[in-house]
Amino acid sequence: DYVQALRHLDAIMRLRPALQADITRAMVPFLRAPNMVEAFVEAGQSNPPWMPLFIDNAARDAQSADGLYRLMRELAAKPAVDLPPAAITQVVQAALSRGEDGQAVAVYRAFFPSSASSDGSQIFDGGFQGLAGLPPFGWTFNDQPGGNAARDTATGLSVSVRSAAASDLVTQNLVVVPGSYDFDAEVQSASLSGEPALAWSLRCVRDGFVVGQLIVPAAVDRRRMLSARVTVPEGCSSLVLALRNGGPGVSGQAVLTGVKLRAVRSLL
């Protein structure tokens, strides 16, 4: 009777927190038993202190992955549940590491529904409005010797570029269906030296192949749209969108107001 066992173990861990590590590790196979996902969901609604540790252990166990993904989606639908962001990120990253991209996206969107863009863009928070979202499908900001970027909800993304080795200043992971896409970016202003000083790029996680690139012009004094038609090849459904500085000899400032990746719809 795994359901009853879970209730007893819950009580023990609340009384003896020092036992949480061993007990939560032993409970991971429970996810494979009938009705146990529902039992964990019921327990999770009281936000037990052992739940993040249980998720940490379960994320490492490929055999229990299907049960964990379902547990996470159902926990996300319960308003009383308050999981730490690290627990969500860990499950998403574990799914990506196993090549289970669809599961990674499903878990992420369960917790962050606004990641499903109404305009069809595959990019979460493409207008840099500060929507709540975590890596890898939310923005990651990297302060590098070659520059940095900061989100400003009034203007967009403020970027500073310095002369140093080329590096990713801002990144976001994407999972898409192979095919044709419109890759667009909007620039509000730019004053850059050295070409190219700054560019958006899309590259395959698997082999680093660059699917597409949008170079920010050196001088922009009014809002300008950059566009390219790109093709995501088979075997490249997992992508990294990155804003990169150009490398040694570049410098300057830019304000970017949006970036989108939208599937091209065939008329046939």
Side-chain angles (χ1 to χ4, degrees), residues 189-200:
S189 64
S191 178
L192 302 165
S193 63
E195 283 225 27
L198 189 65
W200 285 109

Side-chain angles (χ1 to χ4, degrees), residues 183-262:
F183 184 25
D184 303 318
E186 194 172 64
V187 183
Q188 180 171 300
S189 64
S191 178
L192 302 165
S193 63
E195 283 225 27
L198 189 65
W200 285 109
S201 71
L202 276 171
R203 63 178 185 264
C204 294
V205 170
R206 183 192 61 187
D207 57 10
F209 173 74
V210 177
V211 172
Q213 183 172 249
L214 295 172
I215 296 173
V216 178
V220 178
D221 58 8
R222 66 186 66 183
R223 196 163 288 192
R224 180 171 171 181
M225 183 67 73
L226 313 175
S227 301
R229 178 68 56 85
V230 301
T231 299
V232 177
E234 293 290 337
C236 186
S237 59
S238 185
L239 300 169
V240 173
L241 169 67
L243 181 65
R244 290 180 63 82
N245 72 310
V250 304
S251 62
Q253 310 287 327
V255 175
L256 312 179
T257 49
V259 58
K260 295 180 180 180
L261 183 70
R262 291 177 291 193

Side-chain angles (χ1 to χ4, degrees), residues 28-32 58 61-69:
V28 170
F30 285 18
L31 282 170
R32 303 173 218 160
D61 181 34
Q63 290 182 297
S64 301
D66 288 344
L68 177 61
Y69 300 148

